[in-house]
Amino acid sequence: MPIRWRLTLFNALAIGVILIILGAGLFFLLRSALLSGVENDAETRAVAAARTVQEDGELEDAEQFALQGVFVIVRDEQGRVLEKTTDLSSGGSGGTDSVWREALSSGEAQGGTAQLSEEAPDYVYAVPVNPENSRARVVEAGRSYGEAEETIETFGTLLAVGLGVALLLSVAGAYLLARTALRPVDAVVSSAQEIGESDLSARLPVHHRRDEIGRLASTFNELLARMETAFARREEALDRQRRFAADASHELRTPLTSISGYARMLEDWGLDNPKASRRAVAAISKESGRLTELAESLLALTRGDEGAQLVRARHDLAEVAREAVETARAGAPSGIAVDYESPSAPVEATFDWEKIRQTITILLDNAVKYTPTDDHEGRVTVTVGERDGDPEVSVTDTGIGIAQDQLPLIFERFHRVDESRSAGGAGLGLSIAKQVAEAHGGSVSAESTVGEGSTFTLRLPGGKLETLDEPRGNDK
Ligand code: ADP
C-alpha cells in the first residue's frame, strides 16, 4: 500500500478514535445533566409541596408547584388522591403506586420511575407527611423524561452527523496533506528514472534543501557526483590503457618489421654475400636487443600498474647512485664525462635498491643519450643530498635540453620530444622512473634549458623505518 494511503488510514484511525471518545463523553455528560435536571425539579417541588402540606394540612394551590412540566399529587394514607395537577386517568396510575407506597411505609422520601403518560417514563419523587399520624399524607411530584430525552436524541443525532463530517474532513485533509508532502518524492522518482548510465551529469530537483526530501535528493545528488567522477576516472583509465596497448603494439611492430626484412634479405641473397649477411645479422641483433628492452620496459610498467610489492629496506642513497654512475661511466662514449659528487655523509632512505638503481640508470642513460659529443665536451654530473629532510639524487647534463612546453609531457608513456633525436628510445624510460618514484611516495622532476642542458631530480620521502609497511599510493 502506498505511504500516502497508509498515512491517511493511520490519521483517520487516530482521529476517529479521538472523536468517538470525545463524542461519547460529551453525549453521556449532557444526558446525565439533563436527566438529573428533571429529577432535581421533581424533588425540589415535592419537598416544597410536602412542607406546605405539613404546615397547612393541605395543598390549596397545587398548581403553583406544578410549573415547567412538573405535576404534583397529594394522597391520603389509603392512597386516595386528594389533589392532582395531572390527569392520572390518561396514563396508568399504577406505576406510581410503588413509589408513594414505599415512601409511606418507610416514612422516608423515595424516588423512582413511573409510566404516567404513554410517551415517555416519568420521574416521581414521593415525600411522606406525618407518616405515623392517622392523617398521614404523601406528596408526589414528578416530571416526564420525554423532553430531556428528545433533547438528548437530537443532540445525539447532531453529534453523530458532526463527528461523521469531521472524520470525513480530517481523512480528506490527511490525504491531501500526505499527497502534498509526498509529491516531491514522485518528482524525485521520475527524475531518478530518467538518469541513465550515460547521463550521470543529470541531478535531481531540490525544492527545499532543509526538509527530509530535500536532504534525500541532495544526498542522492552527491552520490551521483561521486559516481560521475568515478566513471570519468574509469573511462580515463580505460582510455589510457587502450592508448598504451595501441602504442605498445606500434612500438613492437617497428623492430619486428625490421627483423623480418633483414631475415628476408639474408634468405634471398645474404648467404652468398658475406658483407650483406654481416650487415643483416648485425641489424637483426640490434633490433632484437631493442625488442627485448621494449618488452622489459613494458613488463616493468605493467607490474608497476598492478602494484607489485617493493622490497624496501634502509639503504644509503649515495651508495646506489655511485654504483649506477660506475656502470654508466663504463658505457658512456668517450666525449662525455660522467661525474659523481659524493656527499660528506651517507644519505639514508627507505627504498627498493634494485628499483631505485634502475631509475637512476634511466636518468643517467638519458643524460648521456641526449648530450651530443660532436662539437663540445659533454658532462653529466650526479649529486646526492637532502632537501627539506628529503633525500634526493640529481642528474645534470650539458645536453640538448627540453623546451618548457614539453617538460610536463616527457613523463607520459611513449612520449618523445623529437622522434628523430630520440636515439632509438621508445619513450618509456621516464614513465618507469616516475612510476617507481611514486610507488615509493616520492617524485621525479625536470628542469631544462634548450641548448644548455637538463637536470632531473629523484626525490624520496625522508621517513624513518616505521613507513616500511605502508607503501605510499601509486596513482596509476
Ligand atoms: P626515451 O626512451 O625516448 O629516452 P624517456 O621516457 O626516457 O624515453 O624520455 C622521454 C623523452 O624525453 C625523450 O624522448 C627525450 O626527448 C626527452 N628527454 C629525456 N631525458 C632527456 C635529457 N636528459 N635531455 C634531453 N631530453 C631528454
Side-chain angles (χ1 to χ4, degrees), residues 16 45 56 64 84 96 101 111 126 148 165 184 216 220 233 242 252 271 287 313 335 342 358 395 403 441 445 468 472:
R45 299 293 164 79
D56 302 348
Q64 87 174 68
K84 64 179 166 67
T96 58
R101 250 183 242 284
V165 171
L216 175 76
F220 202 83
R233 226 182 273 146
R242 274 193 288 267
L252 287 168
L271 294 176
E287 290 302 324
S342 79
Q358 181 192 10
V395 180
S445 55
L468 257 183
R472 298 211 197 163

Side-chain angles (χ1 to χ4, degrees), residues 293 297 362-371 380 395-403 406-407 409-419 421-433 446-449 453-456:
E293 215 173 277
S297 297
I362 289 171
L363 301 182
L364 268 166
D365 284 354
N366 279 349
V368 172
K369 237 173 11 180
Y370 299 107
T371 302
V380 173
V395 180
T396 305
D397 62 59
T398 54
I400 56 171
I402 304 159
Q406 288 293 315
L407 278 180
L409 305 174
I410 54 173
F411 295 99
E412 281 179 14
R413 296 173 183 197
F414 299 107
H415 184 83
R416 284 168 288 210
V417 174
D418 179 355
E419 223 161 301
R421 294 195 298 170
S422 80
L428 290 177
L430 287 181
S431 34
I432 295 173
E447 285 167 36
S448 188
T449 311
S454 320
T455 297
F456 282 81

Side-chain angles (χ1 to χ4, degrees), residues 86-106:
T86 184
D87 187 6
L88 290 180
S89 59
S90 64
S93 62
T96 58
D97 275 3
S98 57
V99 184
W100 70 259
R101 250 183 242 284
E102 261 177 56
L104 208 55
S105 61
S106 68

